[in-house]
Amino acid sequence: DLHSFPTRRSSDLGIDLYEWLPDGSGVVLAASDAVQPRLPDFYGNVRRLPAPPRSSSLFRLAFPGGQIERLAPAPFESVESLAVSPDGRRLAVTGSGLRQTTDTAEVALLRLAAGEETRRTRNLIYEEGPVWVGGDLFVAGTGEAKDGRYTGTEARMYRVNPADLGLVRIAPDLRGHLNQLVPLADGSVLAISTVSTGMRVVRVVPASGALRTVREQRGWLANLVASRGGGRLAFVAGDPSHFAEIYVAEGPDGLATARPVTDFNAALSREPLPEIETVSWDDGAGTTVEGVLFWPPGRKGEKGLPLIVDLHGGPFGEIGRASCRERV
């Protein structure tokens, strides 16, 4: 419990994110600079907060004792993730402006010593999910600059060039939209990507770009984590017949035969489930778009059923308007 340490006081910190230092000596925090004044609640569980948002900074919290050191101002208005290098000397931060435009969604790199200069990437790629493999930093990046303007693409794998913080594309043959990168002790990386309406886990060797698929998931898979030596992995997965459970695999090669270790949702999985159908359409610009249609249990093909539309990235990420309730 980070709020139990006698720091500035740490209980006064509005902690947004934290990441452990590799040697276990403490954590790096993204936290607010000032105490948030409490305003009266209204409408039950809805709470009014003052504006503009509080400024944030990066801190190091040492264990034991809870001494806290301010490292630098947060490089973004909205900090989204932290990643400490294996040697504990560098910190990668991703985030964006409050409006989350692509020209503000970058990677910031700083050394873990107070007063060190913070450097930032500058491009039209939306960067997220940083991971370190030895001294190399990798990110998932969506979009690209074309003729000086942003062009949407699926998320790809990039290495951050330490000299100029430019992005170097890795494994261009990696298919689908990259969701997560997980480093392994041998220097390879597990990449989770969405391909069509399924998901895939691919082992990538960054130096050569070599790829090997280690799991195909008909459904969804997320939150993959690896033990320090990479001998055991855990993730959350679900499919059309099973609600999400936690799975464990013995090493990357065991991902295909990973076993569930929880049955939290077994009762739900025994209930009548919808029939699932993959649908596709032309987006009007020459690209095929795919979606998933969930039919009510036992009612596939019926006419006049109410339809709820869940927009990917919507409504704020969509151009134009769409109704959330239609009739088929």
Side-chain angles (χ1 to χ4, degrees):
D1 181 0
L2 297 178
H3 293 271
S4 65
F5 290 91
T7 62
R8 187 179 68 184
R9 297 185 318 262
S10 60
S11 59
D12 291 338
L13 291 175
I15 297 172
D16 298 314
L17 296 168
Y18 69 91
E19 179 74 9
W20 282 93
L21 295 169
D23 62 1
S25 62
V27 295
V28 175
L29 306 170
S32 61
D33 288 317
V35 177
Q36 179 83 7
R38 183 177 294 276
L39 296 179
D41 291 351
F42 69 106
Y43 297 129
N45 293 327
V46 178
R47 176 166 294 169
R48 181 174 51 151
L49 298 177
R54 300 164 294 171
S55 60
S56 297
S57 291
L58 303 172
F59 300 87
R60 175 167 32 206
L61 177 63
F63 297 158
Q67 294 79 18
I68 196 164
E69 172 190 10
R70 184 178 183 272
L71 300 172
F76 306 101
E77 292 176 302
S78 176
V79 178
E80 296 182 359
S81 60
L82 308 173
V84 180
S85 63
D87 61 9
R89 296 180 179 179
R90 289 173 292 172
L91 174 67
V93 185
T94 62
S96 69
L98 293 178
R99 296 184 63 185
Q100 292 188 319
T101 55
T102 54
D103 59 338
T104 66
E106 306 283 2
V107 177
L109 194 63
L110 66 151
R111 294 191 178 276
L112 284 175
E116 290 282 353
E117 180 184 359
T118 300
R119 302 164 62 207
R120 279 181 57 173
T121 56
R122 300 288 181 183
N123 55 62
L124 287 179
I125 297 176
Y126 191 104
E127 298 134 81
E128 54 189 341
V131 299
W132 292 90
V133 180
D136 290 328
L137 177 65
F138 296 89
V139 296
T142 304
E144 63 183 4
K146 184 174 291 186
D147 299 326
R149 301 184 64 182
Y150 177 81
T151 300
T153 68
E154 293 183 312
R156 301 162 172 172
M157 182 176 176
Y158 291 93
R159 179 176 63 85
V160 180
N161 187 329
D164 60 4
L165 298 191
L167 299 186
V168 179
R169 190 171 178 189
I170 302 296
D173 293 331
L174 183 63
R175 291 187 57 215
H177 180 87
L178 182 60
N179 298 293
Q180 185 187 358
L181 295 171
V182 179
L184 298 177
D186 65 358
S188 63
V189 178
L190 293 177
I192 303 178
S193 59
T194 302
V195 181
S196 182
T197 52
M199 302 194 76
R200 180 177 295 171
V201 184
V202 178
R203 193 170 189 173
V204 181
V205 180
S208 64
L211 308 174
R212 183 165 61 89
T213 300
V214 291
R215 184 180 177 93
E216 296 272 6
Q217 181 74 24
R218 184 173 178 262
W220 66 276
L221 185 153
N223 302 320
L224 178 64
V225 294
S227 62
R228 183 179 294 273
R232 183 165 289 184
L233 301 104
F235 57 90
V236 178
D239 60 47
S241 302
H242 301 87
F243 280 74
E245 299 290 356
I246 299 175
Y247 287 72
V248 169
E250 301 301 324
D253 291 333
L255 282 169
T257 55
R259 66 187 189 279
V261 295
T262 64
D263 60 356
F264 298 136
N265 294 312
L268 290 173
S269 297
R270 290 191 293 267
E271 294 293 322
L273 299 177
E275 293 186 69
I276 298 176
E277 178 182 349
T278 301
V279 295
S280 62
W281 60 93
D282 192 312
D283 69 351
T287 301
T288 299
V289 180
E290 290 191 332
V292 181
L293 180 61
F294 291 77
W295 292 92
R299 303 183 68 179
K300 184 176 181 180
E302 285 190 25
K303 301 295 184 181
L305 296 173
L307 175 66
I308 298 174
V309 180
D310 184 3
L311 299 175
H312 176 71
F316 63 88
E318 298 296 322
I319 298 174
R321 300 178 64 186
S323 171
C324 65
R325 185 174 175 87
E326 303 283 349
R327 306 291 293 190
V328 294

